[in-house]
Amino acid sequence: MSDVLAITEHRRGELRDVSFELVTAGSDLASQSGGDLHLAVIGGDVDAFAEELALDGVDTIHTVAEGDEFNHDVYVQAVTALYEELDPTYVLMGNTVNGLDYAPAVAEQLDLPLVTDAVGLENEGALTVTREMYASKVESTVEVDAGTAAVTIRPGEWDVTEAAGEPAVEAFDVEIDDSRVRSRVTGFEEVGSGDVDIADADVLVSVGRGIEEEENIELVQELADALDATLSSSRPIVDNGWLPKDRQVGQSGKVVTPKVYLAIGISGAVQHVAGMKGAENIIAINTDPDAPIFDIADYGIVGDLFDVVPELIEQFE
Amino acid sequence: MKVLVTVKEVAEVEEDFELDGLHVAEQFLEYDLNEWDEYAVEEAVQLAEEDDDVEVVSVTIGPERSEETIRMALAKGVDRAIRVWDDALEDVDLLDVGAKTRLLSAVVEAEEPDFVLTGVQANDDSFGATGVSLASAIDFEWAAVVNDLELEGDVANVRRELEGGVEELTEVDLPAVLSIQTGINEPRYASLRGIRQAQSKEIKPMSLSDLGLDASAVESDLELTDMYEPETESDAVYFEGDAGEQAAELATVLREKGVGAQ
Ligand SMILES: Cc1cc2nc3c(=O)[nH]c(=O)nc-3n(C[C@H](O)[C@H](O)[C@H](O)COP(=O)(O)OP(=O)(O)OC[C@H]3O[C@@H](n4cnc5c(N)ncnc54)[C@H](O)[C@@H]3O)c2cc1C
Ligand SMILES: Nc1ncnc2c1ncn2[C@@H]1O[C@H](COP(=O)(O)O)[C@@H](O)[C@H]1O
């Protein structure tokens, strides 16, 4: 029997999607061995969150009323205290930006082997985790030989359930050691947007690292003009300063849902896809037939953008 | 002040490749400095440029081959480098976060840096965990996914890049480990002079015993059991032919969707 402790996430008063995905991943994992799923809700309006999380498959929700927002020092102390109290087999967390900020410290302090960014979990005697490597070109499985493990799951990989359940809700008191809270969140800021809002566009021509040089941006701008579309990009283009930050599509940029999304020289990394998978029609132009972008594309051209884009511009002139 | 920056040589897989057991066959791999570490190196070098008292030391866990990559960091202004390697590491299929943490902790103990910079993630096995795990082990404070950094006395004022274009402003007490996000700065190109100077900079090899460790330090509870090319989930309609034909077919579809028609 393997009990699972899953740590939920919230930000600015709302539970994040990954919290519900953790319920699914956690209850699948717990039920494979007849164990219980414990959820932890740390900080914020814990009672309201617990109500929302009263879902099928959850056995107990532990509320830790400490602070309003995420603070990794508090999370690490709360999770390690819960672990010691509940003695679960597995600790599940989200592979989110906040997950990156506390999950490794939880694993280190509890001396648990850590497997991050899981896309699949199987518990047949030993825990087997499926994860991607080499920019999603390869998948691998990792077996955990210890009895226990800390695992983070990739957001967006597990379905969510809406079926209600009747978990017990228990307040958990942790004595937070303030001398070990050595970081303070002082605020949040939205990254400013310029005069173009790519989230409003019906048609996006989006460019990635396949464009190679700054001066080639002109080529895709020309295409965007010919199609009466807006130009957006993947992250490296913005990191390089070739387009402003407000043009970035993805996890840390904008989430867009245009009618047409034309991905040119973009590989389709998970953090990029997080921002555009909701587009109605996804079209990819890429030299690599195995680029992950094709997995979610509706139309594909395997080809060199420097050949295809000029031809496409010509079609619309 | 001494800044330790962790750097990893990562492998990129070519478009067409073959697997060889639990590895990508060597001839299909290209090695380079991890993208995130380029930004961490630049951030460290900028700190040294602002303040003459700052020494920048890089550390890598990697085989001899990685010295070529490490040399690039030296050419960009890192003062000296440490390379951890050992026979015991040769046969490790998956160097897990715990093992890396034990090795890097020993380096921190030997070097006593005031400040450690890592990348957010290594682009090959993408654990995204080494920096924060290390911080916990050496009892430093930390912050992950940092895209802005100002040092102010005993505090690092950082911005953490969250999802959806939101940044978190955080004060982090020093000493600290920060994991650096791409875009925080503009990594420089190595100058010819830098490349020349790098030839005479030290890359110090350190074995497990040099670090006061034994083979148990790289033992892991994680075992790589399989590696495969994922089956494509694509149900895309592909446009075939030469570029002109592909473009013509795509144009037809685009027009059907109302694109460009006005
Ligand atoms: C915390 C975090 C947050 C992130 N947030 C984001 C985000 O918000 N948005 C984002 O985009 N990324 C984000 N990333 C980065 C992401 O992991 C990838 O590194 C990035 O998306 C890669 O961009 P790319 O596809 O343009 O480049 P690459 O992955 O380098 O892909 C380039 C593609 O171009 C193709 N190509 C090359 N030459 C040609 C040619 N001549 N013609 C056609 N195709 C060609 C190649 O086959 C390849 O598929 C984030 C990463 C982290 C860790
Ligand atoms: N073998 C290694 N040697 C030195 N630094 C490493 C190594 N592996 C990871 N790191 C550092 O830790 C960061 C995060 O890597 P990872 O946790 O493996 O995704 C990288 O950007 C590096 O700075």
Side-chain angles (χ1 to χ4, degrees):
Chain A
M1 236 177 43
S2 309
D3 289 348
V4 175
L5 169 63
I7 318 300
T8 62
E9 254 187 60
H10 57 88
R11 178 171 300 148
R12 297 157 114 188
E14 277 185 47
L15 283 169
R16 307 198 61 228
D17 292 347
V18 73
S19 300
F20 299 95
E21 295 156 16
L22 281 159
V23 169
T24 308
S27 77
D28 286 353
L29 188 58
S31 64
Q32 279 175 27
S33 68
D36 284 348
L37 172 61
H38 298 267
L39 285 191
V41 187
I42 306 166
D45 189 348
V46 291
D47 295 323
F49 292 151
E51 247 170 71
E52 268 186 81
L53 290 162
L55 295 165
D56 189 35
V58 183
D59 294 290
T60 311
I61 302 177
H62 304 270
T63 59
V64 182
E66 289 286 344
D68 296 325
E69 290 288 346
F70 174 81
N71 171 291
H72 63 236
D73 296 306
V74 172
Y75 265 58
V76 172
Q77 290 190 41
V79 176
T80 49
L82 271 166
Y83 182 87
E84 269 145 26
E85 170 83 14
L86 301 169
D87 196 26
T89 307
Y90 302 117
V91 183
L92 285 192
M93 295 165 276
N95 195 59
T96 56
V97 174
N98 283 347
L100 295 175
D101 200 40
Y102 83 99
V106 166
E108 199 282 330
Q109 292 190 15
L110 294 172
D111 204 15
L112 298 175
L114 173 66
V115 193
T116 60
D117 206 19
V119 297
L121 295 172
E122 203 73 52
N123 188 10
E124 287 168 349
L127 177 67
T128 300
V129 183
T130 307
R131 57 197 308 280
E132 294 183 337
M133 290 173 75
Y134 300 112
S136 306
K137 297 202 123 200
V138 173
E139 239 170 59
S140 63
T141 56
V142 175
E143 195 178 287
V144 182
D145 295 329
T148 62
V151 178
T152 69
I153 66 163
R154 174 175 289 185
E157 287 289 321
W158 274 266
D159 294 334
V160 301
T161 176
E162 276 164 25
E166 285 182 1
V169 179
E170 293 174 7
F172 182 76
D173 275 326
V174 215
E175 199 71 51
I176 297 292
D177 177 356
D178 286 326
S179 72
R180 302 197 54 75
V181 178
R182 300 176 300 192
S183 65
R184 294 155 298 278
V185 177
T186 57
F188 295 96
E189 247 174 51
E190 310 275 341
V191 188
S193 42
D195 40 3
V196 180
D197 190 353
I198 57 170
D200 278 346
D202 269 342
V203 183
L204 284 172
V205 168
S206 207
V207 58
R209 187 142 49 192
I211 199 72
E212 286 171 15
E213 308 271 346
E214 179 166 20
E215 66 226 35
N216 298 335
I217 296 284
E218 234 171 85
L219 178 67
V220 278
Q221 180 66 62
E222 225 181 291
L223 177 63
D225 292 344
L227 298 181
D228 199 18
T230 304
L231 189 62
S232 61
S233 80
S234 67
R235 175 170 194 122
I237 304 301
V238 171
D239 284 345
N240 289 344
W242 299 350
L243 284 176
K245 178 85 192 168
D246 56 21
R247 301 289 179 123
Q248 183 182 317
V249 173
Q251 174 190 303
S252 48
K254 290 236 164 80
V255 174
V256 298
T257 51
K259 194 157 175 239
V260 174
Y261 188 86
L262 188 50
I264 303 176
I266 293 177
S267 63
V270 55
Q271 297 94 349
H272 184 78
V273 169
M276 45 66 75
K277 60 173 182 246
E280 219 173 291
N281 295 283
I282 297 169
I283 302 163
I285 302 176
N286 199 304
T287 41
D288 179 1
D290 297 320
I293 190 77
F294 288 121
D295 287 347
I296 58 158
D298 302 291
Y299 301 93
I301 290 181
V302 177
D304 189 325
L305 75 91
F306 296 106
D307 298 331
V308 177
V309 172
E311 295 280 355
L312 195 55
I313 293 170
E314 208 164 288
Q315 291 283 336
F316 282 88
E317 267 169 357
Chain B
M1 185 169 84
K2 193 193 278 187
V3 181
L4 184 69
V5 46
T6 61
V7 293
K8 186 183 192 194
E9 182 192 66
V10 293
E12 242 178 77
V13 176
E14 285 176 17
E15 248 173 53
D16 289 310
F17 65 96
E18 282 165 29
L19 292 167
D20 176 13
L22 293 175
H23 300 275
V24 174
E26 186 63 35
Q27 67 265 36
F28 304 106
L29 295 175
E30 278 173 48
Y31 292 95
D32 205 351
L33 181 59
N34 181 35
E35 188 180 350
W36 278 265
D37 297 344
E38 296 225 23
Y39 289 87
V41 164
E42 178 64 31
E43 201 62 20
V45 170
Q46 287 187 10
L47 289 174
E49 283 171 344
E50 280 161 27
D51 182 346
D52 284 343
D53 287 336
V54 174
E55 185 190 22
V56 180
V57 182
S58 74
V59 55
T60 194
I61 306 164
E64 197 166 348
R65 186 203 53 234
S66 62
E67 291 203 357
E68 216 179 302
T69 301
I70 304 317
R71 208 55 87 189
M72 288 313 290
L74 292 169
K76 293 180 184 187
V78 169
D79 295 303
R80 61 188 170 84
I82 294 167
R83 182 175 66 83
V84 177
W85 198 244
D86 199 282
D87 287 346
L89 282 155
E90 295 284 350
D91 304 323
V92 177
D93 285 328
L94 182 73
L95 192 59
D96 81 347
V97 177
K100 282 197 265 203
T101 300
R102 289 186 286 277
L103 300 180
L104 294 173
S105 297
V107 172
V108 166
E109 209 170 292
E111 287 288 334
E112 301 188 321
D114 303 282
F115 202 42
V116 181
L117 299 180
T118 75
V120 168
Q121 66 173 34
N123 216 13
D124 46 7
D125 50 23
S126 300
F127 273 101
T130 303
V132 172
S133 177
L134 173 65
S136 166
I138 60 177
D139 198 26
F140 276 29
E141 189 50 32
W142 71 85
V145 195
V146 169
N147 72 353
D148 190 57
L149 164 63
E150 301 287 342
L151 292 180
E152 209 182 293
D154 294 338
V155 169
N157 288 310
V158 305
R159 281 169 183 262
R160 293 184 54 235
E161 187 192 77
L162 306 178
E163 291 89 352
V166 178
E167 295 182 346
E168 179 199 277
L169 284 65
T170 306
E171 297 174 359
V172 180
D173 293 346
L174 298 177
V177 180
L178 304 181
S179 86
I180 299 296
Q181 175 64 315
T182 58
I184 187 175
N185 52 39
E186 275 180 57
R188 71 195 63 196
Y189 291 98
S191 65
L192 279 174
R193 186 161 154 266
I195 294 171
R196 241 189 343 265
Q197 282 175 343
Q199 296 307 321
S200 55
K201 289 183 179 173
E202 182 191 25
I203 302 180
K204 183 179 173 186
M206 292 190 93
S207 65
L208 291 181
S209 66
D210 292 335
L211 291 167
L213 300 169
D214 59 42
S216 67
V218 296
E219 274 170 19
S220 167
D221 291 319
L222 303 184
E223 193 193 340
L224 196 60
T225 47
D226 198 6
M227 191 178 276
Y228 48 91
E229 267 187 82
E231 292 205 5
T232 174
E233 290 159 27
S234 175
D235 50 14
V237 174
Y238 286 91
F239 302 125
E240 313 285 347
D242 65 23
E245 289 157 353
Q246 289 174 318
E249 285 190 55
L250 175 52
T252 308
V253 169
L254 286 171
R255 286 207 182 86
E256 276 166 19
K257 312 272 177 209
V259 177
Q262 83 279 78

